[in-house]
Amino acid sequence: MTFKVRIIPCLDVKDGRVVKGVQFVDLIDAGDPVEAAKAYDAAGADELTFLDITASSDDRRTMFDVVTRTAEACFMPLTVGGGVRTVEDIRALLVSGADKVSINTAAVNDRAFVGRAADKFGNQCIVVAIDAKRVSAAGEADRWEIFTHGGRKPTGIDAVAYAREVVALGAGEILLTSMDRDGTKSGFDLALTRAVADAVPVPVIASGGVGTLDHFVDGVAQGGATGVLAASVFHFGTFTIGEVKRHMQAAGLPIRMDGITG
Amino acid sequence: MSVAIVDYGSGNLHSAQKAFERMARERGLNVPVLVTADPDTVRKADRIVLPGVGAFADCKAGLIGVPGMVEALTEAVRGRGRPFLGICVGMQLMAGRGLEKEISAGLGWVPGDIDLIRPSDPSLKIPHMGWNTLNVTRDHPVLAGIPTGPDGLHAYFVHSYHLTATAGDVILADADYGTRVTAMIARDTMVGTQFHPEKSQTLGLALIGNFLEWRP
């Protein structure tokens, strides 16, 4: 297979600034998302994701400017999510230069929104982000539920059934985050990843919990993900994109090594 | 000298424009890169780029929706042999027919249909979204100096449909995705890439630079 697994750094952006900064290289401005994006582009990342966590929707224009400046400087795929509620929000991000837009809470509240978005802009640019938590007790059959509001608010919606539903409506990709694992560095929830990857015919990106190089391998080899997303391990320089790629390649996974030296 | 990127309401062209401007600069070419919906600007351009994102039928409708654009493109590319680059659905529109959602006519500049990718391995995901290498069938100036083959550079693809049922000599490169996915086509003064050169980092920028210097 010459088709490659994708390694995707994710930048949380608030009011046009990278939250906590990016510390893996000496950037003139570690809080500038465009500088960070250029550094990841040069490092060989396969794709980049911006998550806008700006609280007020009045300040979202700042994000359009960030996306525009990134698309001018980085000739790689860019996904933008966070606070996407309307077809107009999607249009504004695509016009700014995003290649894909990820929808989270708005799709939970109104599934038909996914269909409207996909009809308007094409399945290929509509990503549905799913934040899921395990709700089955030990010994029970695995079950995960969608949570919103940063993992605080349960919805009663089964994550696997929901993934099937949004893909049937037109989602071209699923960004799947385990809220149990996010920030723990204990690895992806592989059973969750596998359950969703087996349930839908579109690419699934695993997110939440990466702490070791083997975790990246497991997400693909065991979880069935076609891409792996991580934030802090890249931003803090725990691993470089090159280290992750070399490790995954050594484990036998198909990896794009363009621009990876040493 | 000018490069016209045809704007017919299909997606963001800013990134493509910046990629062409950057490569014009790097290759020492003094060419303005115009994003335009004006048929006369297209008619007068020395090189023409037709991008396209979304469904085939929608893109075709968008192109027809710009009065005089299909005529201007046909005159400049087929009549006067201006170098032409079709990108993604812009490449697909060069074909005879699109079979996505409904059967619709393309520009008919190359024979063939735009049909669903059908990988032999059912576990392969559709869309074909991500990075793949190119298997090149013959030399072409737009690929000069670009490492291809299984150990070569990668191109970024996002699509569910591709060119099939065409004449063998039209296909310039394919990609392995459980079947041979048409990745590049070439005929006369036209080339087309199913992938996005403006999103394909090193490979894409080199191809854009080569296209700007191509003298067919």
Side-chain angles (χ1 to χ4, degrees):
Chain A
M1 177 54 61
T2 55
F3 183 73
K4 304 303 191 293
V5 169
R6 284 175 277 157
I7 316 300
I8 309 169
C10 177
L11 291 156
D12 287 354
V13 178
K14 187 177 185 186
D15 303 324
R17 304 284 296 169
V18 179
V19 178
K20 292 181 194 160
V22 168
Q23 299 161 20
F24 74 100
V25 285
D26 288 328
L27 299 177
I28 295 164
D29 179 355
D32 179 0
V34 182
E35 287 296 313
K38 282 155 79 171
Y40 281 121
D41 186 15
D46 296 310
E47 195 169 317
L48 202 62
T49 292
F50 283 147
L51 184 62
D52 186 8
I53 56 171
T54 304
S56 158
S57 53
D58 296 343
D59 297 329
R60 291 195 185 279
R61 301 209 165 280
T62 316
M63 194 61 187
F64 301 149
D65 176 57
V66 166
V67 173
T68 301
R69 290 188 295 123
T70 302
E72 284 176 10
C74 298
F75 300 105
M76 67 188 295
L78 176 65
T79 302
V80 184
V84 175
R85 293 187 184 87
T86 65
V87 164
E88 271 317 302
D89 291 339
I90 297 173
R91 184 195 309 280
L93 287 168
L94 294 175
V95 166
S96 300
D99 299 291
K100 295 185 265 182
V101 172
S102 86
I103 307 171
N104 192 333
T105 312
V108 175
N109 293 340
D110 174 18
R111 307 277 209 292
F113 176 44
V114 177
R116 289 197 301 278
D119 281 348
K120 193 87 199 163
F121 305 108
N123 302 22
Q124 81 291 336
C125 68
I126 303 302
V127 180
V128 171
I130 299 179
D131 293 343
K133 264 189 196 179
R134 184 182 289 266
V135 291
S136 49
E140 284 180 3
D142 286 337
R143 208 169 71 77
W144 298 268
E145 193 175 307
I146 308 272
F147 279 68
T148 58
H149 298 77
R152 294 189 306 276
K153 193 175 161 193
T155 63
I157 301 166
D158 180 81
V160 177
Y162 175 79
R164 273 198 200 98
E165 196 180 344
V166 293
V167 168
L169 285 165
E173 182 164 285
I174 298 291
L175 169 56
L176 179 65
T177 302
S178 162
M179 300 308 284
D180 298 309
R181 299 299 180 91
D182 203 29
T184 65
K185 303 201 187 306
S186 60
F188 297 119
D189 184 334
L190 297 175
L192 168 66
T193 309
R194 175 52 76 181
V196 173
D198 285 349
V200 297
V202 302
V204 173
I205 308 301
S207 157
V210 159
T212 70
L213 291 172
D214 282 335
H215 289 158
F216 285 97
V217 175
D218 296 343
V220 177
Q222 296 178 43
T226 53
V228 282
L229 180 140
S232 57
V233 292
F234 290 135
H235 306 332
F236 297 132
T238 315
F239 308 120
T240 65
I241 300 286
E243 280 169 345
V244 170
K245 288 193 156 188
R246 278 191 291 273
H247 188 81
M248 294 178 82
Q249 188 183 46
L253 296 175
I255 301 293
R256 183 182 75 112
M257 299 303 285
D258 300 2
I260 306 293
T261 51
Chain B
M1 276 281 281
S2 68
V3 178
I5 301 180
V6 182
D7 181 5
Y8 57 102
S10 171
N12 163 58
L13 307 179
H14 198 63
S15 199
Q17 183 184 24
K18 292 291 165 186
F20 278 84
E21 285 175 352
R22 171 167 158 178
M23 291 318 293
R25 214 162 43 237
E26 282 191 18
R27 300 285 174 108
L29 305 167
N30 182 25
V31 283
V33 179
L34 313 166
V35 172
T36 181
D38 172 34
D40 275 336
T41 304
V42 170
R43 206 175 267 116
K44 288 176 192 147
D46 300 285
R47 289 168 202 278
I48 297 166
V49 181
L50 184 66
V53 169
F56 184 100
D58 295 345
C59 285
K60 181 67 192 307
L63 196 58
I64 290 173
V66 183
M69 187 58 86
V70 170
E71 294 75 8
L73 281 167
T74 306
E75 182 189 321
V77 179
R78 302 311 287 150
R80 288 186 286 128
R82 295 282 184 259
F84 171 89
L85 173 61
I87 298 174
C88 197
V89 181
M91 175 204 112
Q92 296 184 354
L93 288 171
M94 296 161 72
R97 299 191 305 170
L99 308 182
E100 182 173 2
K101 291 205 273 194
E102 59 198 87
I103 295 177
S104 41
L107 294 166
W109 295 352
V110 297
D113 290 342
I114 304 300
D115 199 0
L116 188 66
I117 303 168
R118 295 188 173 85
S120 53
D121 175 354
S123 76
L124 287 173
K125 306 288 189 175
I126 299 289
H128 172 223
M129 173 146 45
W131 296 89
N132 211 332
T133 51
L134 304 176
N135 306 309
V136 172
T137 57
R138 61 192 146 95
D139 288 340
H140 193 284
V142 300
L143 287 167
I146 297 175
T148 54
D151 300 317
L153 294 176
H154 293 74
Y156 185 76
F157 292 83
V158 185
H159 65 125
S160 300
Y161 289 76
H162 72 139
L163 178 68
T164 61
T166 188
D169 66 342
V170 169
I171 293 175
L172 179 57
D174 59 39
D176 171 18
Y177 194 63
T179 180
R180 291 156 76 97
V181 171
T182 302
M184 289 185 76
I185 60 176
R187 173 171 274 190
D188 308 328
T189 66
M190 306 177 290
V191 284
T193 63
Q194 179 60 66
F195 56 86
H196 287 269
E198 78 284 12
K199 293 288 167 183
S200 295
Q201 291 180 330
T202 313
L203 178 148
L205 292 173
L207 188 149
I208 288 169
N210 288 345
F211 173 73
L212 290 171
E213 291 183 316
W214 183 32
R215 301 197 172 280

